[in-house]
Amino acid sequence: MSELVPGGNLPLPEGAVTVRVPGPFDVSALVTDDGGRVRGDADFVFYNQPSAPGARLTDGTLTVEPRALRAGATRVTVIVSPADPGTPLGRLPAPVLQLTGAGGRRLARFAPPRPRQETVLLLAEIYRRGDGWKLRALGQGYADGLAGLARDFGVEVVDDGPSAAVPSASAATSGTPPATDPAFPAAPSGSRAGHPPPPTRPVPYGPRMTHPASAPSPDLAKFLTLVNSARTAAGSAPVALDTRLTDAARAHVTAMAAARRLGTEGPDGVSVHQRLTGTGYTYITVGEHLVSGPRNPSEFVDYCLRTEQPRRTLLDPVFTHTGLAYASARRSGDTYWTALWAKPLTPGDLSRTADEVVTLTNRERARAGLPPLAVGPLLARAAQAYSTDMAGRAFYSHTSPEGTQPWDRAAAAGSTRRSIGENIACGQRSAAEVVEGWMNSPGHRANILKRDFTHIGIGFAGGGPAGTYWTQLFGA
């Protein structure tokens, strides 16, 4: 059985799968197409409408037969809400998804971060990938209840209650500044370092739901034409649309619109970078535009080209792929945008990036009159494993969650170096940027210029809240 984290995914076996969330919760589902919109009322499966082609609710358990879904359906979003609609999820036990396959075989378990004031949680989605189907863990919270969530998926809900005023958002960009952790100095020489719902409930939707004409999706072809025209004029190669980037952008912009605020991390605690790696796209570098205000792709691209930092990202020659999505906030009507830019990671890219960090590090040592560091394969193995671990488990520290220190990790990789030092950093998008950041920090600079060190290992991984995680491991 797999233990999933937010953004994690799992290939599904053929046949039906069941989803259960024990406790005082209701499970429901939305059946959508590639545009993330329902086709009609029948695509909303909940306690007053417990079945649809390929999906049915029985005593609080959702059964999905992916290949029996209605024509055009490409995903089923699994939703959990309190059995008592007036109770915030934060007052209840943490919901835990349990996924089983044929014969009751347990496939996966997902325990999302504990909700707070949210009344609805997008727990997971079952989605088509090529000829197969997968489950992706989400954990995205909503504060507006099932009715607000349904509206965001294209269902018009007749609500008899008064509408609350919502502050409007302003045009802005958001990004995560790169960070460096205080350097870990060299260790001394020799150290080692089941509550089923009632049959029916009074709710302001159900028979009264109507489904208006679907809102238009972003004109991706027009967006791409405008972007590549600007890139060509600037001497950069064109980028191509990638559905994984668009999927991640759609998930993130939906979260921002629901919360009515911009941010690299959504109200569910999942970052835009985690959403991207959750689609299976592994990158060597990534960029993002998080904007509110523009009304169409033309206005969005125009804004990016008129603003210094967004312009640099849009024109950056390193990027090869892009994805775009937008969503409108309920009541305020403000439009939120997410554009992602990336270059996929290949084994050659990883090797070249590590080599570039070593070259830049040795250049700084040469300027200080110091001998160059040689690459230590065991140090490199430990450094790469640690960067991957920080990105995968979304932590950032010289001390791992298990309490290991740099010399512990070096020793575990087989290194017998007498003295170990470590620099880590997150958020930097290139080797040059990360080495410059380390050299501008006295503690990190001291490790780079320590005369006793003779060997170095480099680690890099994309993902996590910060987007990129770097490790330098030094040994003497």
Side-chain angles (χ1 to χ4, degrees):
M1 183 180 70
S2 297
E3 287 281 348
L4 298 177
V5 298
N9 58 68
L10 174 77
L12 296 180
E14 285 294 325
V17 294
T18 61
V19 174
R20 184 170 177 266
V21 183
F25 305 106
D26 283 341
V27 175
S28 50
L30 284 158
V31 181
T32 58
D33 53 24
D34 280 334
R37 313 289 289 183
V38 298
R39 180 176 291 179
D41 297 351
D43 284 347
F44 192 8
V45 179
F46 65 117
Y47 43 78
N48 277 357
Q49 184 171 272
S51 65
R56 67 181 183 276
L57 273 172
T58 306
D59 293 333
T61 297
L62 176 69
T63 302
V64 178
E65 172 56 79
R67 299 198 184 279
L69 295 170
R70 55 109 172 141
T74 58
R75 70 187 63 217
V76 177
T77 302
V78 180
I79 303 154
V80 66
S81 56
D84 175 5
T87 303
L89 286 169
R91 296 183 187 175
L92 300 176
V96 177
L97 177 148
Q98 298 175 357
L99 181 75
T100 58
R105 183 168 66 94
R106 296 199 297 176
L107 301 176
R109 180 181 180 274
F110 172 49
R114 188 181 185 87
R116 299 178 189 174
Q117 296 302 312
E118 294 89 343
T119 55
V120 176
L121 194 67
L122 272 63
L123 199 54
E125 62 181 5
I126 295 169
Y127 66 101
R128 188 171 66 197
R129 176 64 67 195
D131 293 331
W133 290 79
K134 290 186 173 184
L135 179 132
R136 178 184 296 125
L138 297 176
Q140 174 184 326
Y142 270 70
D144 293 334
L146 278 175
L149 183 146
R151 288 188 183 96
D152 285 341
F153 278 79
V155 178
E156 183 178 344
V157 178
V158 180
D159 191 343
D160 296 328
S163 60
V166 179
S168 60
S170 59
T173 57
S174 177
T176 304
T180 54
D181 202 13
F184 205 106
S189 178
S191 67
R192 292 290 178 208
H195 293 263
T200 60
R201 296 186 187 165
V203 289
Y205 46 86
R208 303 182 64 200
M209 283 192 296
T210 60
H211 181 65
S214 296
S217 298
D219 186 345
L220 293 178
K222 183 173 184 178
F223 164 74
L224 193 64
T225 298
L226 293 169
V227 164
N228 283 335
S229 175
R231 288 176 64 88
T232 299
S236 298
V239 290
L241 288 169
D242 189 287
T243 56
R244 293 165 296 180
L245 272 67
T246 297
D247 284 348
R250 182 185 301 116
H252 196 72
V253 81
T254 300
M256 290 197 303
R260 297 183 290 277
R261 63 178 174 83
L262 299 171
T264 55
E265 186 174 287
D268 52 4
V270 181
S271 75
V272 66
H273 311 108
Q274 289 169 301
R275 299 188 205 280
L276 179 53
T277 54
T279 68
Y281 189 104
T282 306
Y283 55 80
I284 187 66
T285 189
V286 67
E288 66 281 334
H289 288 135
L290 309 175
V291 178
S292 68
R295 295 165 296 180
N296 54 55
S298 297
E299 290 187 7
F300 173 77
V301 172
D302 181 63
Y303 165 78
C304 293
L305 291 174
R306 287 188 289 104
T307 312
E308 183 179 359
Q309 181 56 51
R311 177 183 173 87
R312 286 204 299 267
T313 298
L314 189 149
L315 301 179
D316 194 329
V318 72
F319 295 129
T320 58
H321 293 109
T322 188
L324 175 74
Y326 75 86
S328 294
R330 188 166 67 90
R331 297 181 182 144
S332 71
D334 292 310
T335 303
Y336 288 77
W337 297 80
T338 296
L340 288 171
W341 313 82
K343 178 184 178 183
L345 174 68
T346 67
D349 287 326
L350 188 58
S351 176
R352 282 190 293 273
T353 298
D355 289 347
E356 188 176 357
V357 173
V358 172
T359 297
L360 293 171
T361 298
N362 282 333
R363 184 178 299 169
E364 297 296 339
R365 288 177 64 87
R367 289 172 178 167
L370 298 171
L373 301 172
V375 174
L378 299 179
L379 294 176
R381 181 188 304 171
Q384 182 58 45
Y386 198 56
S387 286
T388 301
D389 192 28
M390 287 192 291
R393 292 200 284 172
F395 74 93
Y396 179 65
S397 171
H398 288 288
T399 304
S400 77
E402 292 75 28
T404 64
Q405 303 290 353
W407 46 84
D408 299 319
R409 297 187 287 273
S415 174
T416 57
R417 299 287 166 189
R418 295 178 297 103
S419 180
I420 295 293
E422 182 179 80
N423 287 344
I424 60 175
C426 65
Q428 292 82 359
R429 306 302 168 90
S430 69
E433 186 179 346
V434 74
V435 173
E436 180 182 6
W438 280 326
M439 287 301 294
N440 288 334
S441 167
H444 300 89
R445 180 186 178 94
N447 270 345
I448 289 173
L449 301 183
K450 184 176 176 64
R451 182 175 295 275
D452 292 346
F453 285 145
T454 57
H455 289 77
I456 189 173
I458 304 298
F460 168 84
T468 56
Y469 292 78
W470 305 79
T471 303
Q472 280 183 319
L473 199 57
F474 303 90

